[in-house]
Amino acid sequence: MKLSSKNIETRLDTVYDAIVVGGGMGGLSAAIYLARYGLKCLVVEKGRGRSFWMQDTRNFLGQDPTAPGRDIIKHGTEQALGWGADFLRGFVEEVTDEGETFAVKVKIGKKDEVGHTLRTKYVVAASGVMDNLPKLDDMQNVYDYAGYTLHVCMICDGFDMWNQKAALIVNTEGQANAAFVLNWFTPYISVFTHGLFEVSAEMKQKLADHGYPLYEQPIAKFHGEDHRMSGIELADGTMVDATTGLVGMGSQRHNAYLKGIDLEYNGQDLVTDNMCKTSHDRIFALGDLKQGLNQVSIAVADGTLAATQIWRTTRRAAEPRKWEENIGKLSA
Amino acid sequence: MKLSSKNIETRLDTVYDAIVVGGGMGGLSAAIYLARYGLKCLVVEKGRGRSFWMQDTRNFLGQDPTAPGRDIIKHGTEQALGWGADFLRGFVEEVTDEGETFAVKVKIGKKDEVGHTLRTKYVVAASGVMDNLPKLDDMQNVYDYAGYTLHVCMICDGFDMWNQKAALIVNTEGQANAAFVLNWFTPYISVFTHGLFEVSAEMKQKLADHGYPLYEQPIAKFHGEDHRMSGIELADGTMVDATTGLVGMGSQRHNAYLKGIDLEYNGQDLVTDNMCKTSHDRIFALGDLKQGLNQVSIAVADGTLAATQIWRTTRRAAEPRKWEENIGKLSA
């Protein structure tokens, strides 16, 4: 059922089997499975995650390469609701471990100062990441190209950059090393630091050895039309040709709501086992929040794994259903 | 490009980066990724695998629950071809390790007695399983229900059996234990051995304790109409009510072509690492051939992982592309 501030009261006494934080590719896959295992689950989605910004979906079996992420999300939300999952547009502020259950504090809309506390046995963290984009005075100029010809994922879109003049925009020296992977797809790489850090003499030499120009001025503007880049203009007026770009500036993980719980991380990624279970027995993590490839197919499989493990544990703890004791519940 | 006996000669001197054995969910996902990594790949599909028989796809994000497996496969084949993969309808008879490459012997059609030998650096084993169905004199009577109301996968279809009278058809005592998992979805379970084995006194007692009747006669016929079961008739004329069923008779893995290569198995499943690599560095295994859940979402993710690892290894071994050395290849 779709929940909102108008009917959330009906769920304040519910103990969910699982609350899924994030209604992107992984979270919706988990919800579809959880619901079909007959488990009571709720998806809380804040809106506008990474897959919402995907203008196309190149690599995912069964989808046209032009399928926008938001269409798959909309379809998946209907799927999950159809099988009986609850869905709430809201923001998860904090998760507190109460022993048998978690208290999940959710705010619904910006005016909801107090929030609502929901309860669940398991938490599925599927809240993903948001890519860091270069900050310009006119951010609309970035959004005109981001997700079209200015990409954030080399695995997803490297093929579409094949042998093109490509801008690689980075904010640390470590990210600049992406040039030496991107050159599988194209050798015509110009590297931009947007003025954010000092490039070491060693990196300068390595880029020069490959013939990749380095631009350390801030970016003023992207040039092009109809979402197709033609070049980048720097603060000093320099124009650099580029028909495509890769933003390699890292990403922010949406996992602040877990900060009160002691979980094992590897860098920023949650450590999980082969069923997506974190170091806490009742918290699972999917897709971009955990170690591994940030791909739709991986997040969708992660949802399958987490939901299946939650079902297994729940089922094994339940009393077996015997024929005689259930007479009367028989379906028509 | 679509290959056949008419144009296979054009590929006899090719060394593929990867030959994917099986064009089901996993194999096609691998091919889509391999092609978009700019790798030369071929999918060999014998036809009529397990997902071809899937009459609906309940759990896979972004697909309508009524989507037949064969439609997703058809769409995915077009996707893979569209990105530049080769596709051949044929049967892989044997894979031989030649050191740097594998020789893959393929037969195209039943009249192809000699076969054709193709070469590849990597093999992706994605040839899946075929479920064992109860053998009746009239197999059409089995196919009238299999994939509709007579299921082979509890995870996929348990929800659709909810609180219904269900037939569990098994061919070993071990498979009979599925009753005690299936009872999560329904407690009205009748167990059928189709006369294939002796049931131990211990299992008989356990089934009786749960109130699940046991039928040890061979099955004569499924009753129902429009793919909807109503019951099962036994050889002695006994009629048992059941509106749904689960065939838990195990499955055959299509991996005979690997028999000449020493690979690590766990039971019948190939052992793989977290990128789907088998114990042989240049052989990967996906989906139902390896350990793990037999689900579309898992096979699709496995294809992503295997292709990505093959790309990584290939890329790392390649010379880096420098700007000056590539002038002239620039895309328009």
Side-chain angles (χ1 to χ4, degrees):
Chain A
M1 188 167 89
K2 251 189 179 151
L3 300 180
S4 69
S5 56
K6 293 195 173 55
N7 61 359
I8 190 73
E9 302 293 330
T10 63
R11 293 298 192 268
L12 297 184
D13 294 329
T14 298
V15 176
Y16 284 102
D17 291 303
I19 289 182
V20 181
V21 185
M25 303 297 185
L28 290 173
S29 177
I32 290 166
Y33 272 87
L34 287 163
R36 285 184 58 86
Y37 285 130
L39 297 171
K40 207 185 291 283
C41 78
L42 164 69
V43 177
V44 187
E45 164 61 18
K46 67 164 182 38
R48 297 175 167 262
R50 195 188 201 196
S51 47
F52 175 86
W53 291 104
M54 281 167 42
Q55 304 300 340
D56 47 46
T57 309
R58 294 303 207 208
N59 288 335
F60 188 44
L61 183 79
Q63 296 291 330
D64 289 328
T66 54
R70 60 187 172 279
D71 286 5
I72 304 174
I73 289 172
K74 183 160 178 272
H75 187 279
T77 304
E78 298 299 326
Q79 272 178 285
L81 282 163
W83 297 124
D86 280 350
F87 184 91
L88 173 68
R89 181 57 71 104
F91 180 79
V92 173
E93 201 166 63
E94 194 173 9
V95 172
T96 311
D97 190 354
E98 302 179 313
E100 297 281 296
T101 58
F102 295 101
V104 177
K105 191 172 166 193
V106 180
K107 293 205 166 178
I108 307 172
K110 286 185 179 167
K111 290 178 185 164
D112 181 8
E113 289 188 12
V114 181
H116 305 268
T117 297
L118 300 165
R119 285 199 158 71
T120 183
K121 294 174 189 161
Y122 290 88
V123 168
V124 178
S127 39
V129 303
M130 185 57 78
D131 299 291
N132 299 328
L133 295 177
K135 294 273 177 287
L136 301 191
D137 288 340
D138 174 14
M139 279 306 289
Q140 185 53 46
N141 184 249
V142 180
Y143 297 130
D144 283 347
Y145 301 98
Y148 297 97
T149 46
L150 182 60
H151 304 290
V152 292
C153 170
M154 200 192 309
I155 287 182
C156 309
D157 301 311
F159 186 79
D160 301 314
M161 304 173 76
W162 200 266
N163 282 355
Q164 289 189 62
K165 284 194 178 171
L168 173 66
I169 304 166
V170 299
N171 61 352
T172 65
E173 176 126 345
Q175 312 276 16
N177 282 303
F180 312 113
V181 181
L182 183 59
N183 66 5
W184 171 266
F185 296 103
T186 180
Y188 312 115
I189 300 167
S190 299
V191 178
F192 297 80
T193 67
H194 197 37
L196 292 172
F197 69 102
E198 287 281 317
V199 181
S200 72
E202 190 187 355
M203 178 60 77
K204 280 182 177 165
Q205 188 59 52
K206 194 170 172 191
L207 290 170
D209 288 346
H210 284 72
Y212 306 156
L214 172 67
Y215 299 96
E216 301 187 71
Q217 289 260 349
I219 293 167
K221 193 181 168 185
F222 292 89
H223 284 256
E225 58 182 346
D226 289 343
H227 308 304
R228 292 172 191 228
M229 280 175 62
S230 59
I232 290 181
E233 182 181 336
L234 299 179
D236 67 358
T238 304
M239 277 292 304
V240 181
D241 285 350
T243 52
T244 187
L246 179 72
V247 180
M249 299 175 69
S251 53
Q252 300 297 323
R253 282 152 191 78
H254 291 298
N255 56 13
Y257 56 92
L258 293 172
K259 67 181 182 296
I261 298 173
D262 185 31
L263 294 171
E264 190 183 342
Y265 290 82
N266 185 323
Q268 293 187 72
D269 292 326
L270 280 160
V271 173
T272 55
D273 70 9
N274 62 0
M275 295 302 280
C276 295
K277 186 158 71 74
T278 68
S279 55
H280 189 302
D281 267 350
R282 292 179 293 113
I283 300 180
F284 289 73
L286 312 183
D288 301 354
L289 282 187
K290 61 178 246 304
Q291 295 181 282
L293 299 179
N294 291 9
Q295 292 286 291
V296 171
S297 58
I298 303 296
V300 171
D302 286 350
T304 300
L305 295 170
T308 301
Q309 191 57 35
I310 290 169
W311 170 60
R312 282 176 178 165
T313 313
T314 305
R315 173 172 57 75
R316 284 166 189 165
E319 282 294 308
R321 298 211 289 161
K322 299 180 181 183
W323 188 311
E324 287 302 326
E325 292 163 7
N326 284 276
I327 290 295
K329 295 178 191 163
L330 198 61
S331 290
Chain B
M1 189 166 89
K2 252 189 178 152
L3 301 180
S4 68
S5 55
K6 294 195 171 53
N7 62 359
I8 190 73
E9 301 294 329
T10 64
R11 293 298 192 270
L12 296 184
D13 294 329
T14 298
V15 176
Y16 284 101
D17 290 304
I19 289 182
V20 180
V21 186
M25 304 297 185
L28 290 172
S29 177
I32 290 165
Y33 272 87
L34 287 164
R36 285 184 56 86
Y37 285 131
L39 297 171
K40 206 185 294 283
C41 78
L42 164 68
V43 177
V44 186
E45 164 61 18
K46 66 163 183 37
R48 298 176 166 259
R50 194 186 201 197
S51 47
F52 175 86
W53 291 103
M54 283 167 42
Q55 305 299 340
D56 47 46
T57 309
R58 295 304 207 207
N59 287 334
F60 189 44
L61 183 79
Q63 296 292 330
D64 288 329
T66 54
R70 58 187 174 278
D71 286 6
I72 304 174
I73 288 172
K74 184 160 178 270
H75 187 280
T77 304
E78 297 300 325
Q79 273 178 283
L81 282 164
W83 296 124
D86 281 348
F87 184 91
L88 173 68
R89 181 57 71 101
F91 181 78
V92 173
E93 201 165 62
E94 193 172 11
V95 172
T96 310
D97 191 353
E98 303 178 311
E100 297 281 297
T101 58
F102 294 102
V104 176
K105 190 172 166 194
V106 180
K107 292 206 168 178
I108 307 171
K110 286 185 181 169
K111 291 179 187 163
D112 181 9
E113 289 188 14
V114 181
H116 305 267
T117 297
L118 301 166
R119 286 202 158 68
T120 183
K121 294 174 190 161
Y122 290 88
V123 167
V124 179
S127 36
V129 302
M130 185 58 76
D131 297 292
N132 298 329
L133 296 177
K135 296 274 177 287
L136 300 192
D137 287 339
D138 173 16
M139 279 307 289
Q140 185 52 46
N141 183 249
V142 180
Y143 296 130
D144 283 347
Y145 301 97
Y148 297 96
T149 46
L150 181 61
H151 305 289
V152 292
C153 170
M154 202 192 309
I155 288 181
C156 309
D157 301 311
F159 187 79
D160 301 313
M161 303 172 77
W162 200 266
N163 282 356
Q164 289 187 61
K165 283 193 179 171
L168 173 66
I169 304 166
V170 299
N171 60 352
T172 65
E173 176 126 346
Q175 312 276 15
N177 283 302
F180 312 113
V181 181
L182 182 61
N183 67 4
W184 172 265
F185 297 103
T186 180
Y188 313 115
I189 299 168
S190 299
V191 178
F192 297 79
T193 66
H194 196 37
L196 293 171
F197 68 103
E198 287 282 316
V199 181
S200 71
E202 191 186 354
M203 177 60 76
K204 280 183 178 167
Q205 186 61 51
K206 194 169 173 194
L207 290 170
D209 287 347
H210 285 71
Y212 305 158
L214 171 66
Y215 300 95
E216 302 188 69
Q217 288 262 349
I219 293 169
K221 193 180 169 187
F222 292 88
H223 283 256
E225 58 183 343
D226 290 343
H227 308 304
R228 291 174 191 225
M229 278 175 64
S230 60
I232 290 182
E233 182 181 334
L234 299 179
D236 68 355
T238 304
M239 277 291 304
V240 182
D241 285 350
T243 52
T244 187
L246 179 71
V247 180
M249 298 175 70
S251 52
Q252 299 298 322
R253 283 153 191 78
H254 290 299
N255 57 12
Y257 57 91
L258 293 172
K259 67 181 181 298
I261 298 172
D262 186 31
L263 294 170
E264 190 184 343
Y265 290 82
N266 184 324
Q268 293 188 71
D269 291 327
L270 280 159
V271 174
T272 55
D273 70 9
N274 63 359
M275 296 301 281
C276 295
K277 187 158 70 75
T278 68
S279 56
H280 188 301
D281 267 351
R282 293 179 292 114
I283 300 180
F284 290 72
L286 312 183
D288 301 354
L289 282 188
K290 60 178 245 307
Q291 295 181 282
L293 300 178
N294 291 11
Q295 292 286 290
V296 171
S297 59
I298 302 297
V300 171
D302 286 350
T304 300
L305 295 169
T308 300
Q309 190 57 34
I310 290 170
W311 170 60
R312 282 176 177 165
T313 313
T314 305
R315 171 171 60 72
R316 283 167 190 164
E319 281 294 308
R321 296 211 289 161
K322 299 180 179 183
W323 189 310
E324 289 301 327
E325 292 163 7
N326 284 275
I327 290 296
K329 294 180 191 163
L330 197 61
S331 290

